[in-house]
Amino acid sequence: MAPRKRGGGGSRGGLSFVFCCFNSNDHPEITYKLREDFALQSMEPALPMPGYDELDNMFSELVDELDLTEKHREAMFALPAEKKWQIYCSKKKEQEENKGATSWPEYYIDQLNAMAARKTLLALEKEDEEERNKTIESLKTALRTQPMRFVTRFIDLDGLTCILNFLKSMDYDTTESQIHTSLIGCIKALMNNSQGRAHVLAHSESINIIAQSLATENIKTKVAVLEIMGAVCLVPGGHRKILEAMLHYQRFACERTRFQTLINELDRSTGRYRDEVNLKTAIMSFINAVLSQGAGETSLEFRIHLRYEFLMLGIQPVIDKLRSHENSTLDRHLDYFEMLRNEDELALSKRFESVHIDTKSATQVFDLIRKKMNLTDAYPHFMSVLHHCLLMPHKRSGNTVQYWLLLDRIVQQMVLQNDKGHDPDIAPLENFNVKNVVKMLVNENEVKQWKEQAEKMRKEHHELQQRFEKKERECDAKTQEKEEMMQTLNKMKEKLEKESNEHKNVKQQVAELTARLHELNTNKLEGTVWMDVDDGRVFKILDLKDIEKTFSAYQRQQKEAEDDTLGSKKIKELSVIDGRRAQNCNILLSRLKLSNEEIKRAILTMDEHEDLPKDMLEQLLKFVPEKSDVDLLEEHKHELDRMAKPDRFLYEMSRINHYQQRLQSLYFKKKFAERIAEIKPKIEALTKASKEILHSKNLKQLLEVVLAFGNYMNKGQRGNAYGFKVSSLNKIADTKSSIDKNITLLHYLITILEKKYPKVLKFQDDLQSVSEAAKVNMTELEKDIGNLRSGLKSVESELDFQKKRPQELGDKFVSVVSQFIAVASFSFSDVEDSLAEAKELFLRAVKHFGEDAGKMQPDEFFGIFDQFLQSFTEAQQENENIRKRKEEEERRAKMEAQLKEQREKERKARKAKANGEEDGGEFDDLVSALRSGEVFDKDLSKMKRNRKRINVLNTDSSRERPVTKLNI
């Protein structure tokens, strides 16, 4: 078979096939070239050579299969008869050797249909998946190497549709596999043939389905798809198909705007995308092809329109960031993009006779349009457009952007549409639903009404929410009290049962002692007057209540007669207490939002309705009436109506018996559960941490390893130690390696543990309570317990006092506090027992490690372990980072070696290409030139010359946006 070569000669022969796409309306053809020094291998044909006429017919069939141009067909037919026969026999022998099932298109089509029917990879073994991929790779090879009749037969049997159906029906796992990449490779191989390429471009869905493959995360597949689509842009009629495919992909991938995925992929710099230059190069080459080919070859308006779409998506800062890769091929594409942009902006500025147009400045753009429109017939219409723009909705929220989007699409359509009414881009209004905008305009008033109703409902909901929260607080307080009471009653029941036997014994002993005492008293009084006296008979006659009223230690205040002038008008508020104190009291009352009567009722009922929050009670304690205040207020009590609000409040509160003690008791009652809740976790942390330290086998093993390390390192000086202070644990992290100062003994210890004692690494899980125990200060904890004890005693004292005096109507102090004391006493007793147990365990833990129990406090002891745990975790992470960094360096070294090898292969390939030894089809050459940027060489050279000429002419001129510095 004659080798296939690219047409042309010399140093630019490699690009001659490319520019035929731009200068002709015919489909590009695969061209062949026979070198002058071409020589067939000497071989003896197995069959005798037929006659010349028969040989020409047989050779003509062979040439037809090679899909040659007319020029090269003539060159083949001009060969001597002996060489024709030699070529023919060589080809026939090759076909006989490759004859089999895999040489028929039907085999591959059946395989594709079977694979498509089996949509998922989940049920496949690894060998089955590899076999499927091997079959598809075999088809790709066949489409490149088999005779023309194979490709023709594959097309006639609708093989392309089978591939496209397989692509459409793939599940996620297949999409991310090598099978997807191989299927795209089959389409690329088919397009490497002129007949196959025409068939792919003529298919109604082929380019759209190929574009859908951009949704995969498989980078190789993305690159292959972008290379095909970029090359299709260079083929006549292919540019518009690509624009249609990208619009199709926008709907398929639910993009906000067209090309959004491409810019996102270009900007991705995390994970495997961080160093993925091939994908970024493929995207930039595709963008350049879309901008510069098709209508972009001649239409400045089209290029500016399409480029602005990319700029709106933020491509410029992404390009600036891509420069950091310092890749020559990628820089080539970036240079072309920026240079073409600068050329177009220069051409646009010439239309307005300006040096430069800053398209980012709305003011400059408007001034240029106004100057252009001034004194023209269109100027009134231009002003009309501006006036109506003022009346369009400008709100930031809602759907107002849709109106401006519609206006934008209409202007785009007008700018791009040519004289014949054709639009080089997909018509902007084709993909825009005008009905939706009209519907939004009609419903704008309804939306406003809905918003007003929603605001009204929101306010009502807020009020209901506040009321609900208040009731919820009351319920929570009652529920908490109930739960605490039930727990206490259960404990009381257990305690009472435990003490019942003791009580019986004590009762029996008391009875015995009483009997004996009675005998002693009787003996002592015998013969005296007291033997005949019985005071019980007097109690029945006396008025005991009158005696209590007359001689009670606490006399009730008698009410003063009301002043005759109470109804008179107030002339001026009377304030007898300190001004600053009165002001602060007034602020408190305004925040409390309760009347004096409501506050008084809340205090007497021990706040059964939860009207007084804890913070308000704390503030009320600061405004307890002092003796001097009470004396002054008593002097002016006949002027109660004239009193200022703070004075009246203090007067009313001073009328409550034992107001300060009641308030303190109420505050203690409300804070008791909170204080217990603060103390209990500290005691539990001490208890748990002590148990964990005592029983952790992994910690014991770790200490054993550390001791071995220390004895080995100190051998000959302080070796052969039997133990060490626990504080020495944290010195491990300070012992640095003599080889690498960043490595400490702790890093090395973790490495040894990972290799030799992997279970010991779990010792962190054994000591989960240590960090909390390290925060416990025993002195403060005992102080909190003491405060609770003294507070409880104060409440009990006040309860005893209140029990001895008559109860006023509505006073629930005795009943509420009695119930509270019963619950709180047992809760506090439980806390004291827990603290005693925690202290005992802590002392055991300290002695277990050989420390001085008298000097070591919990925060110090557990703090040592907590600090070691933190250092251990940090060192583990640092070891992991060092491991990853080492793996990354090895991976990069491997990649650099592969890249060096690849560059060497490319160098040899370029050398072979210069010597005319490269074999390949035209579409592959097109993709290769697009990938490397060679396809833009001609335009780049032209723009460089123009740029130099412009820089010479405009040495003294300045521009608002300087030309981007290019890596040329």
PDB file of all heavy atoms in Angstrom, residues 471-500:
ATOM      1  N   LYS A 471     -44.280  31.450  76.482  1.00  0.00           N
ATOM      2  CA  LYS A 471     -44.955  30.270  77.029  1.00  0.00           C
ATOM      3  C   LYS A 471     -44.015  29.068  77.048  1.00  0.00           C
ATOM      4  O   LYS A 471     -44.057  28.236  77.957  1.00  0.00           O
ATOM      5  CB  LYS A 471     -46.202  29.942  76.183  1.00  0.00           C
ATOM      6  CG  LYS A 471     -47.296  30.993  76.265  1.00  0.00           C
ATOM      7  CD  LYS A 471     -47.868  31.080  77.668  1.00  0.00           C
ATOM      8  CE  LYS A 471     -48.998  32.113  77.750  1.00  0.00           C
ATOM      9  NZ  LYS A 471     -49.488  32.259  79.140  1.00  0.00           N
ATOM     10  N   GLU A 472     -43.166  29.008  76.021  1.00  0.00           N
ATOM     11  CA  GLU A 472     -42.223  27.890  75.939  1.00  0.00           C
ATOM     12  C   GLU A 472     -41.229  27.934  77.092  1.00  0.00           C
ATOM     13  O   GLU A 472     -40.866  26.905  77.671  1.00  0.00           O
ATOM     14  CB  GLU A 472     -41.483  27.945  74.603  1.00  0.00           C
ATOM     15  CG  GLU A 472     -40.769  26.651  74.256  1.00  0.00           C
ATOM     16  CD  GLU A 472     -40.152  26.713  72.875  1.00  0.00           C
ATOM     17  OE1 GLU A 472     -39.617  27.787  72.509  1.00  0.00           O
ATOM     18  OE2 GLU A 472     -40.210  25.698  72.165  1.00  0.00           O
ATOM     19  N   ARG A 473     -40.798  29.163  77.461  1.00  0.00           N
ATOM     20  CA  ARG A 473     -39.882  29.307  78.589  1.00  0.00           C
ATOM     21  C   ARG A 473     -40.539  28.834  79.876  1.00  0.00           C
ATOM     22  O   ARG A 473     -39.919  28.165  80.714  1.00  0.00           O
ATOM     23  CB  ARG A 473     -39.433  30.771  78.741  1.00  0.00           C
ATOM     24  CG  ARG A 473     -38.404  31.209  77.713  1.00  0.00           C
ATOM     25  CD  ARG A 473     -37.714  32.491  78.165  1.00  0.00           C
ATOM     26  NE  ARG A 473     -38.648  33.573  78.421  1.00  0.00           N
ATOM     27  CZ  ARG A 473     -39.032  34.460  77.506  1.00  0.00           C
ATOM     28  NH1 ARG A 473     -38.557  34.370  76.267  1.00  0.00           N
ATOM     29  NH2 ARG A 473     -39.882  35.425  77.812  1.00  0.00           N
ATOM     30  N   GLU A 474     -41.838  29.224  80.053  1.00  0.00           N
ATOM     31  CA  GLU A 474     -42.561  28.785  81.246  1.00  0.00           C
ATOM     32  C   GLU A 474     -42.652  27.262  81.296  1.00  0.00           C
ATOM     33  O   GLU A 474     -42.401  26.652  82.339  1.00  0.00           O
ATOM     34  CB  GLU A 474     -43.966  29.390  81.249  1.00  0.00           C
ATOM     35  CG  GLU A 474     -43.994  30.909  81.400  1.00  0.00           C
ATOM     36  CD  GLU A 474     -45.410  31.454  81.361  1.00  0.00           C
ATOM     37  OE1 GLU A 474     -46.356  30.635  81.392  1.00  0.00           O
ATOM     38  OE2 GLU A 474     -45.584  32.690  81.297  1.00  0.00           O
ATOM     39  N   CYS A 475     -42.986  26.640  80.147  1.00  0.00           N
ATOM     40  CA  CYS A 475     -43.120  25.183  80.100  1.00  0.00           C
ATOM     41  C   CYS A 475     -41.784  24.495  80.378  1.00  0.00           C
ATOM     42  O   CYS A 475     -41.728  23.482  81.081  1.00  0.00           O
ATOM     43  CB  CYS A 475     -43.656  24.744  78.732  1.00  0.00           C
ATOM     44  SG  CYS A 475     -45.353  25.241  78.443  1.00  0.00           S
ATOM     45  N   ASP A 476     -40.712  25.062  79.807  1.00  0.00           N
ATOM     46  CA  ASP A 476     -39.389  24.458  80.020  1.00  0.00           C
ATOM     47  C   ASP A 476     -39.001  24.499  81.491  1.00  0.00           C
ATOM     48  O   ASP A 476     -38.456  23.528  82.036  1.00  0.00           O
ATOM     49  CB  ASP A 476     -38.332  25.207  79.192  1.00  0.00           C
ATOM     50  CG  ASP A 476     -38.477  24.931  77.708  1.00  0.00           C
ATOM     51  OD1 ASP A 476     -39.146  23.937  77.380  1.00  0.00           O
ATOM     52  OD2 ASP A 476     -37.937  25.696  76.895  1.00  0.00           O
ATOM     53  N   ALA A 477     -39.289  25.651  82.137  1.00  0.00           N
ATOM     54  CA  ALA A 477     -38.944  25.781  83.554  1.00  0.00           C
ATOM     55  C   ALA A 477     -39.732  24.772  84.387  1.00  0.00           C
ATOM     56  O   ALA A 477     -39.177  24.110  85.283  1.00  0.00           O
ATOM     57  CB  ALA A 477     -39.223  27.206  84.024  1.00  0.00           C
ATOM     58  N   LYS A 478     -41.039  24.656  84.092  1.00  0.00           N
ATOM     59  CA  LYS A 478     -41.870  23.711  84.849  1.00  0.00           C
ATOM     60  C   LYS A 478     -41.428  22.273  84.585  1.00  0.00           C
ATOM     61  O   LYS A 478     -41.363  21.451  85.511  1.00  0.00           O
ATOM     62  CB  LYS A 478     -43.343  23.874  84.431  1.00  0.00           C
ATOM     63  CG  LYS A 478     -43.944  25.227  84.783  1.00  0.00           C
ATOM     64  CD  LYS A 478     -44.014  25.443  86.285  1.00  0.00           C
ATOM     65  CE  LYS A 478     -44.692  26.776  86.621  1.00  0.00           C
ATOM     66  NZ  LYS A 478     -44.671  27.033  88.070  1.00  0.00           N
ATOM     67  N   THR A 479     -41.112  21.965  83.312  1.00  0.00           N
ATOM     68  CA  THR A 479     -40.686  20.606  82.967  1.00  0.00           C
ATOM     69  C   THR A 479     -39.386  20.246  83.653  1.00  0.00           C
ATOM     70  O   THR A 479     -39.222  19.142  84.182  1.00  0.00           O
ATOM     71  CB  THR A 479     -40.518  20.484  81.443  1.00  0.00           C
ATOM     72  OG1 THR A 479     -41.727  20.861  80.799  1.00  0.00           O
ATOM     73  CG2 THR A 479     -40.164  19.054  81.050  1.00  0.00           C
ATOM     74  N   GLN A 480     -38.452  21.211  83.669  1.00  0.00           N
ATOM     75  CA  GLN A 480     -37.161  20.963  84.318  1.00  0.00           C
ATOM     76  C   GLN A 480     -37.326  20.715  85.811  1.00  0.00           C
ATOM     77  O   GLN A 480     -36.726  19.805  86.374  1.00  0.00           O
ATOM     78  CB  GLN A 480     -36.231  22.157  84.072  1.00  0.00           C
ATOM     79  CG  GLN A 480     -34.801  21.939  84.570  1.00  0.00           C
ATOM     80  CD  GLN A 480     -33.900  23.101  84.240  1.00  0.00           C
ATOM     81  OE1 GLN A 480     -34.312  24.037  83.576  1.00  0.00           O
ATOM     82  NE2 GLN A 480     -32.669  23.046  84.692  1.00  0.00           N
ATOM     83  N   GLU A 481     -38.206  21.555  86.443  1.00  0.00           N
ATOM     84  CA  GLU A 481     -38.456  21.366  87.865  1.00  0.00           C
ATOM     85  C   GLU A 481     -39.072  20.002  88.137  1.00  0.00           C
ATOM     86  O   GLU A 481     -38.717  19.315  89.104  1.00  0.00           O
ATOM     87  CB  GLU A 481     -39.380  22.477  88.382  1.00  0.00           C
ATOM     88  CG  GLU A 481     -38.694  23.835  88.515  1.00  0.00           C
ATOM     89  CD  GLU A 481     -39.641  24.883  89.100  1.00  0.00           C
ATOM     90  OE1 GLU A 481     -40.739  24.501  89.539  1.00  0.00           O
ATOM     91  OE2 GLU A 481     -39.284  26.067  89.092  1.00  0.00           O
ATOM     92  N   LYS A 482     -39.992  19.601  87.251  1.00  0.00           N
ATOM     93  CA  LYS A 482     -40.664  18.325  87.426  1.00  0.00           C
ATOM     94  C   LYS A 482     -39.675  17.165  87.311  1.00  0.00           C
ATOM     95  O   LYS A 482     -39.686  16.226  88.121  1.00  0.00           O
ATOM     96  CB  LYS A 482     -41.771  18.171  86.385  1.00  0.00           C
ATOM     97  CG  LYS A 482     -42.572  16.886  86.535  1.00  0.00           C
ATOM     98  CD  LYS A 482     -43.650  16.801  85.473  1.00  0.00           C
ATOM     99  CE  LYS A 482     -44.409  15.478  85.584  1.00  0.00           C
ATOM    100  NZ  LYS A 482     -45.435  15.352  84.524  1.00  0.00           N
ATOM    101  N   GLU A 483     -38.782  17.249  86.283  1.00  0.00           N
ATOM    102  CA  GLU A 483     -37.801  16.184  86.100  1.00  0.00           C
ATOM    103  C   GLU A 483     -36.849  16.105  87.280  1.00  0.00           C
ATOM    104  O   GLU A 483     -36.524  15.017  87.764  1.00  0.00           O
ATOM    105  CB  GLU A 483     -37.015  16.430  84.807  1.00  0.00           C
ATOM    106  CG  GLU A 483     -37.847  16.231  83.545  1.00  0.00           C
ATOM    107  CD  GLU A 483     -37.073  16.589  82.291  1.00  0.00           C
ATOM    108  OE1 GLU A 483     -35.932  17.079  82.417  1.00  0.00           O
ATOM    109  OE2 GLU A 483     -37.605  16.354  81.187  1.00  0.00           O
ATOM    110  N   GLU A 484     -36.400  17.273  87.750  1.00  0.00           N
ATOM    111  CA  GLU A 484     -35.477  17.285  88.890  1.00  0.00           C
ATOM    112  C   GLU A 484     -36.163  16.728  90.135  1.00  0.00           C
ATOM    113  O   GLU A 484     -35.556  15.990  90.930  1.00  0.00           O
ATOM    114  CB  GLU A 484     -34.989  18.709  89.145  1.00  0.00           C
ATOM    115  CG  GLU A 484     -34.048  19.228  88.063  1.00  0.00           C
ATOM    116  CD  GLU A 484     -33.681  20.682  88.294  1.00  0.00           C
ATOM    117  OE1 GLU A 484     -34.241  21.285  89.238  1.00  0.00           O
ATOM    118  OE2 GLU A 484     -32.847  21.203  87.540  1.00  0.00           O
ATOM    119  N   MET A 485     -37.435  17.075  90.296  1.00  0.00           N
ATOM    120  CA  MET A 485     -38.181  16.591  91.470  1.00  0.00           C
ATOM    121  C   MET A 485     -38.333  15.073  91.422  1.00  0.00           C
ATOM    122  O   MET A 485     -38.149  14.380  92.432  1.00  0.00           O
ATOM    123  CB  MET A 485     -39.561  17.257  91.520  1.00  0.00           C
ATOM    124  CG  MET A 485     -40.346  16.929  92.786  1.00  0.00           C
ATOM    125  SD  MET A 485     -41.946  17.721  92.802  1.00  0.00           S
ATOM    126  CE  MET A 485     -41.438  19.429  92.825  1.00  0.00           C
ATOM    127  N   MET A 486     -38.619  14.526  90.212  1.00  0.00           N
ATOM    128  CA  MET A 486     -38.790  13.086  90.077  1.00  0.00           C
ATOM    129  C   MET A 486     -37.478  12.360  90.379  1.00  0.00           C
ATOM    130  O   MET A 486     -37.467  11.333  91.061  1.00  0.00           O
ATOM    131  CB  MET A 486     -39.263  12.737  88.663  1.00  0.00           C
ATOM    132  CG  MET A 486     -40.681  13.195  88.352  1.00  0.00           C
ATOM    133  SD  MET A 486     -41.901  12.463  89.484  1.00  0.00           S
ATOM    134  CE  MET A 486     -41.738  10.734  89.054  1.00  0.00           C
ATOM    135  N   GLN A 487     -36.369  12.931  89.851  1.00  0.00           N
ATOM    136  CA  GLN A 487     -35.073  12.317  90.129  1.00  0.00           C
ATOM    137  C   GLN A 487     -34.764  12.347  91.627  1.00  0.00           C
ATOM    138  O   GLN A 487     -34.303  11.366  92.211  1.00  0.00           O
ATOM    139  CB  GLN A 487     -33.966  13.061  89.357  1.00  0.00           C
ATOM    140  CG  GLN A 487     -34.041  12.866  87.847  1.00  0.00           C
ATOM    141  CD  GLN A 487     -32.999  13.709  87.119  1.00  0.00           C
ATOM    142  OE1 GLN A 487     -32.230  14.422  87.750  1.00  0.00           O
ATOM    143  NE2 GLN A 487     -33.000  13.627  85.798  1.00  0.00           N
ATOM    144  N   THR A 488     -35.059  13.503  92.235  1.00  0.00           N
ATOM    145  CA  THR A 488     -34.781  13.641  93.670  1.00  0.00           C
ATOM    146  C   THR A 488     -35.658  12.709  94.498  1.00  0.00           C
ATOM    147  O   THR A 488     -35.193  12.086  95.461  1.00  0.00           O
ATOM    148  CB  THR A 488     -35.016  15.101  94.101  1.00  0.00           C
ATOM    149  OG1 THR A 488     -34.236  15.950  93.269  1.00  0.00           O
ATOM    150  CG2 THR A 488     -34.613  15.307  95.549  1.00  0.00           C
ATOM    151  N   LEU A 489     -36.933  12.617  94.097  1.00  0.00           N
ATOM    152  CA  LEU A 489     -37.843  11.735  94.841  1.00  0.00           C
ATOM    153  C   LEU A 489     -37.401  10.286  94.761  1.00  0.00           C
ATOM    154  O   LEU A 489     -37.494   9.537  95.740  1.00  0.00           O
ATOM    155  CB  LEU A 489     -39.269  11.880  94.285  1.00  0.00           C
ATOM    156  CG  LEU A 489     -39.987  13.190  94.634  1.00  0.00           C
ATOM    157  CD1 LEU A 489     -41.325  13.281  93.910  1.00  0.00           C
ATOM    158  CD2 LEU A 489     -40.191  13.317  96.143  1.00  0.00           C
ATOM    159  N   ASN A 490     -36.893   9.894  93.572  1.00  0.00           N
ATOM    160  CA  ASN A 490     -36.397   8.514  93.431  1.00  0.00           C
ATOM    161  C   ASN A 490     -35.207   8.268  94.362  1.00  0.00           C
ATOM    162  O   ASN A 490     -35.102   7.221  95.010  1.00  0.00           O
ATOM    163  CB  ASN A 490     -35.992   8.237  91.987  1.00  0.00           C
ATOM    164  CG  ASN A 490     -37.195   8.169  91.063  1.00  0.00           C
ATOM    165  OD1 ASN A 490     -38.294   7.815  91.500  1.00  0.00           O
ATOM    166  ND2 ASN A 490     -37.016   8.490  89.806  1.00  0.00           N
ATOM    167  N   LYS A 491     -34.312   9.286  94.395  1.00  0.00           N
ATOM    168  CA  LYS A 491     -33.155   9.154  95.286  1.00  0.00           C
ATOM    169  C   LYS A 491     -33.583   9.159  96.752  1.00  0.00           C
ATOM    170  O   LYS A 491     -33.035   8.432  97.587  1.00  0.00           O
ATOM    171  CB  LYS A 491     -32.160  10.286  95.026  1.00  0.00           C
ATOM    172  CG  LYS A 491     -31.470  10.182  93.676  1.00  0.00           C
ATOM    173  CD  LYS A 491     -30.474  11.313  93.489  1.00  0.00           C
ATOM    174  CE  LYS A 491     -29.786  11.209  92.138  1.00  0.00           C
ATOM    175  NZ  LYS A 491     -28.817  12.300  91.928  1.00  0.00           N
ATOM    176  N   MET A 492     -34.579  10.047  97.035  1.00  0.00           N
ATOM    177  CA  MET A 492     -35.095  10.089  98.418  1.00  0.00           C
ATOM    178  C   MET A 492     -35.693   8.743  98.808  1.00  0.00           C
ATOM    179  O   MET A 492     -35.517   8.269  99.944  1.00  0.00           O
ATOM    180  CB  MET A 492     -36.155  11.186  98.548  1.00  0.00           C
ATOM    181  CG  MET A 492     -35.605  12.600  98.510  1.00  0.00           C
ATOM    182  SD  MET A 492     -36.915  13.835  98.454  1.00  0.00           S
ATOM    183  CE  MET A 492     -37.666  13.589 100.046  1.00  0.00           C
ATOM    184  N   LYS A 493     -36.395   8.128  97.892  1.00  0.00           N
ATOM    185  CA  LYS A 493     -37.025   6.848  98.169  1.00  0.00           C
ATOM    186  C   LYS A 493     -35.967   5.796  98.496  1.00  0.00           C
ATOM    187  O   LYS A 493     -36.097   5.033  99.460  1.00  0.00           O
ATOM    188  CB  LYS A 493     -37.845   6.408  96.960  1.00  0.00           C
ATOM    189  CG  LYS A 493     -38.630   5.124  97.184  1.00  0.00           C
ATOM    190  CD  LYS A 493     -39.448   4.790  95.951  1.00  0.00           C
ATOM    191  CE  LYS A 493     -40.211   3.489  96.156  1.00  0.00           C
ATOM    192  NZ  LYS A 493     -40.988   3.135  94.951  1.00  0.00           N
ATOM    193  N   GLU A 494     -34.896   5.797  97.668  1.00  0.00           N
ATOM    194  CA  GLU A 494     -33.820   4.835  97.913  1.00  0.00           C
ATOM    195  C   GLU A 494     -33.159   5.102  99.267  1.00  0.00           C
ATOM    196  O   GLU A 494     -32.869   4.174 100.035  1.00  0.00           O
ATOM    197  CB  GLU A 494     -32.771   4.930  96.795  1.00  0.00           C
ATOM    198  CG  GLU A 494     -33.303   4.479  95.445  1.00  0.00           C
ATOM    199  CD  GLU A 494     -32.287   4.715  94.332  1.00  0.00           C
ATOM    200  OE1 GLU A 494     -31.178   5.196  94.649  1.00  0.00           O
ATOM    201  OE2 GLU A 494     -32.619   4.419  93.171  1.00  0.00           O
ATOM    202  N   LYS A 495     -32.925   6.408  99.524  1.00  0.00           N
ATOM    203  CA  LYS A 495     -32.251   6.768 100.765  1.00  0.00           C
ATOM    204  C   LYS A 495     -33.121   6.450 101.985  1.00  0.00           C
ATOM    205  O   LYS A 495     -32.638   5.983 103.026  1.00  0.00           O
ATOM    206  CB  LYS A 495     -31.896   8.248 100.739  1.00  0.00           C
ATOM    207  CG  LYS A 495     -30.889   8.658 101.798  1.00  0.00           C
ATOM    208  CD  LYS A 495     -30.393  10.059 101.559  1.00  0.00           C
ATOM    209  CE  LYS A 495     -29.327  10.437 102.583  1.00  0.00           C
ATOM    210  NZ  LYS A 495     -28.821  11.811 102.341  1.00  0.00           N
ATOM    211  N   LEU A 496     -34.437   6.712 101.843  1.00  0.00           N
ATOM    212  CA  LEU A 496     -35.357   6.434 102.947  1.00  0.00           C
ATOM    213  C   LEU A 496     -35.457   4.935 103.222  1.00  0.00           C
ATOM    214  O   LEU A 496     -35.521   4.503 104.390  1.00  0.00           O
ATOM    215  CB  LEU A 496     -36.744   7.010 102.649  1.00  0.00           C
ATOM    216  CG  LEU A 496     -36.864   8.536 102.732  1.00  0.00           C
ATOM    217  CD1 LEU A 496     -38.227   8.991 102.226  1.00  0.00           C
ATOM    218  CD2 LEU A 496     -36.654   9.012 104.168  1.00  0.00           C
ATOM    219  N   GLU A 497     -35.473   4.146 102.163  1.00  0.00           N
ATOM    220  CA  GLU A 497     -35.515   2.698 102.350  1.00  0.00           C
ATOM    221  C   GLU A 497     -34.252   2.214 103.047  1.00  0.00           C
ATOM    222  O   GLU A 497     -34.279   1.318 103.894  1.00  0.00           O
ATOM    223  CB  GLU A 497     -35.671   2.005 100.995  1.00  0.00           C
ATOM    224  CG  GLU A 497     -37.049   2.160 100.386  1.00  0.00           C
ATOM    225  CD  GLU A 497     -37.127   1.554  99.000  1.00  0.00           C
ATOM    226  OE1 GLU A 497     -36.079   1.061  98.514  1.00  0.00           O
ATOM    227  OE2 GLU A 497     -38.227   1.560  98.411  1.00  0.00           O
ATOM    228  N   LYS A 498     -33.131   2.842 102.652  1.00  0.00           N
ATOM    229  CA  LYS A 498     -31.861   2.460 103.244  1.00  0.00           C
ATOM    230  C   LYS A 498     -31.813   2.814 104.736  1.00  0.00           C
ATOM    231  O   LYS A 498     -31.236   2.106 105.556  1.00  0.00           O
ATOM    232  CB  LYS A 498     -30.731   3.180 102.496  1.00  0.00           C
ATOM    233  CG  LYS A 498     -29.340   2.784 102.948  1.00  0.00           C
ATOM    234  CD  LYS A 498     -28.298   3.531 102.129  1.00  0.00           C
ATOM    235  CE  LYS A 498     -26.894   3.184 102.581  1.00  0.00           C
ATOM    236  NZ  LYS A 498     -25.868   3.924 101.819  1.00  0.00           N
ATOM    237  N   GLU A 499     -32.455   3.971 105.074  1.00  0.00           N
ATOM    238  CA  GLU A 499     -32.389   4.446 106.451  1.00  0.00           C
ATOM    239  C   GLU A 499     -33.548   3.926 107.335  1.00  0.00           C
ATOM    240  O   GLU A 499     -33.600   4.213 108.531  1.00  0.00           O
ATOM    241  CB  GLU A 499     -32.406   5.979 106.477  1.00  0.00           C
ATOM    242  CG  GLU A 499     -31.175   6.595 105.836  1.00  0.00           C
ATOM    243  CD  GLU A 499     -31.286   8.105 105.750  1.00  0.00           C
ATOM    244  OE1 GLU A 499     -32.370   8.631 106.104  1.00  0.00           O
ATOM    245  OE2 GLU A 499     -30.316   8.750 105.331  1.00  0.00           O
ATOM    246  N   SER A 500     -34.492   3.206 106.700  1.00  0.00           N
ATOM    247  CA  SER A 500     -35.675   2.771 107.456  1.00  0.00           C
ATOM    248  C   SER A 500     -35.306   1.846 108.624  1.00  0.00           C
ATOM    249  O   SER A 500     -35.816   1.980 109.748  1.00  0.00           O
ATOM    250  CB  SER A 500     -36.662   2.066 106.523  1.00  0.00           C
ATOM    251  OG  SER A 500     -36.040   0.948 105.935  1.00  0.00           O
TER     252      SER A 500
END
